Amino acid sequence: MTQEANFYSIGDDPAFRALFTAMPCACMVHRMIFDESGNAIDYVPIEANSWFSRELGFDPAPILGKRATEYLPEGEALHWVSVFTPTVLEGRTVTISVYSPRKNETYRVAAISPERGIFLAMFSVAGNLRDGGQESNDTQWMNDAQWVNGRMPARDFIGKMLMTMPCAAALHRIDCDGEGVPVDYTVVDVNVPFCEYLETTSEAMIGKNASVRLSCDEFRHWLDILAPIALGTKDATVIQFVLPNRLSYEGVAVSLEPGYVLVLFTIERVIHPSSTDS
């Protein structure tokens, strides 16, 4: 494919690039292909993030730039074309749970579009596999298109990524005293996976100061990690922690704008060498 064919307008936005690189779930950007009548007939993956191969267990490089019908059975490829068409034509968000018999795992999938003809598909292993491995057919199409002249403003699209990504996301504001010294941090927004993992609600988190919610030691620990990132004195940082539910989590803390820090995480997984061959 040519460089022009790979281009999508938000791809060079620094905040988008930082989020796309850091997010601890698989993400792939695709370009939909249309026939002369404007009907979606195929799609081409054009870029994958660094977490993609880890989460899905294969190197995406061999399929980048190829039509889906070249590397998937035609029926399967056309099925996914039909699933993602409302995203690239109407700006809708599509979410679905997909069970992989080969890997014996259920994945959460969310697809969103920054501009007509382009869509991002985000994948993450579902936290609760007690469904016995059955595929969910509850595809949801939400009427939340926010395009202006066929595309979405970068800030709006990044916000949509945070709210629809299948990994946990929490945006914090660092609160400083009159001399600019960090003294606290406040939750500005959280997504649904964040609430599921922490067994909480957005109402219980948003607008709350960390110094009130956490023990003194825990509060100081996280303030020392998050404040330097938000204030630009430290780069994005890999984080790992264990919650009272005894599950281990891994992710990253990254700043997309001064004074704010985004914490992204997912359930830590131990990948055995044989898992990609099963």
Side-chain angles (χ1 to χ4, degrees), residues 44-60:
V44 175
I46 57 179
E47 184 178 13
N49 71 348
S50 57
W51 201 272
F52 186 94
S53 58
R54 175 176 178 173
E55 190 77 355
L56 298 186
F58 72 93
D59 179 6

Side-chain angles (χ1 to χ4, degrees), residues 135-146:
E135 179 172 345
S136 169
N137 294 317
D138 60 345
T139 302
Q140 302 171 30
W141 292 332
M142 297 187 288
N143 293 310
D144 55 358
Q146 302 173 47

Side-chain angles (χ1 to χ4, degrees), residues 88-118:
V88 297
L89 290 184
E90 303 170 32
R92 295 185 182 184
T93 298
V94 173
T95 63
I96 189 171
S97 296
V98 178
Y99 173 67
S100 170
R102 184 177 68 85
K103 299 185 69 64
N104 191 31
E105 287 186 307
T106 299
Y107 294 90
R108 291 173 172 171
V109 183
I112 56 178
S113 174
E115 61 187 86
R116 194 177 305 277
I118 299 291

Side-chain angles (χ1 to χ4, degrees), residues 59-278:
D59 179 6
I63 67 172
L64 295 180
K66 293 185 177 180
R67 292 186 174 217
T69 49
E70 294 182 65
Y71 61 85
L72 291 176
E74 184 176 5
E76 184 177 351
L78 295 180
H79 164 72
W80 289 114
V81 167
S82 67
V83 169
F84 296 132
T85 293
T87 300
V88 297
L89 290 184
E90 303 170 32
R92 295 185 182 184
T93 298
V94 173
T95 63
I96 189 171
S97 296
V98 178
Y99 173 67
S100 170
R102 184 177 68 85
K103 299 185 69 64
N104 191 31
E105 287 186 307
T106 299
Y107 294 90
R108 291 173 172 171
V109 183
I112 56 178
S113 174
E115 61 187 86
R116 194 177 305 277
I118 299 291
F119 68 96
L120 276 69
M122 300 175 285
F123 306 77
S124 183
V125 173
N128 185 348
L129 301 181
R130 282 181 274 176
D131 59 2
Q134 298 300 311
E135 179 172 345
S136 169
N137 294 317
D138 60 345
T139 302
Q140 302 171 30
W141 292 332
M142 297 187 288
N143 293 310
D144 55 358
Q146 302 173 47
W147 284 342
V148 177
N149 297 324
R151 65 180 54 176
M152 191 180 301
R155 188 180 182 89
D156 291 346
F157 184 71
I158 291 168
K160 176 172 278 193
M161 286 180 69
L162 294 176
M163 291 300 104
T164 56
M165 64 172 55
C167 53
L171 179 63
H172 305 82
R173 182 189 69 241
I174 299 299
D175 304 318
C176 299
D177 63 17
E179 298 180 353
V181 177
V183 294
D184 211 336
Y185 63 92
T186 303
V187 177
V188 176
D189 211 348
V190 297
N191 67 0
V192 171
F194 178 92
C195 295
E196 290 178 349
Y197 288 161
L198 272 64
E199 299 180 349
T200 186
T201 64
S202 58
E203 292 79 10
M205 299 296 298
I206 295 175
K208 304 299 190 297
N209 291 342
S211 59
V212 176
R213 295 186 295 105
L214 306 176
S215 68
C216 183
D217 288 345
E218 189 176 2
F219 160 66
R220 293 305 316 181
H221 169 76
W222 285 109
L223 183 63
D224 289 344
I225 291 175
L226 301 180
I229 299 171
L231 300 180
T233 60
K234 189 176 182 180
D235 294 333
T237 299
V238 174
I239 55 175
Q240 292 181 307
F241 54 95
V242 178
L243 293 176
N245 58 16
R246 297 184 180 181
L247 290 176
S248 296
Y249 295 85
E250 58 183 336
V252 65
V254 60
S255 178
L256 303 185
E257 62 179 298
Y260 293 83
V261 60
L262 183 64
V263 176
L264 308 165
F265 62 91
T266 190
I267 297 173
E268 186 174 29
R269 299 172 61 211
V270 177
I271 310 259
H272 301 288
S274 60
S275 65
T276 59
D277 300 324
S278 60

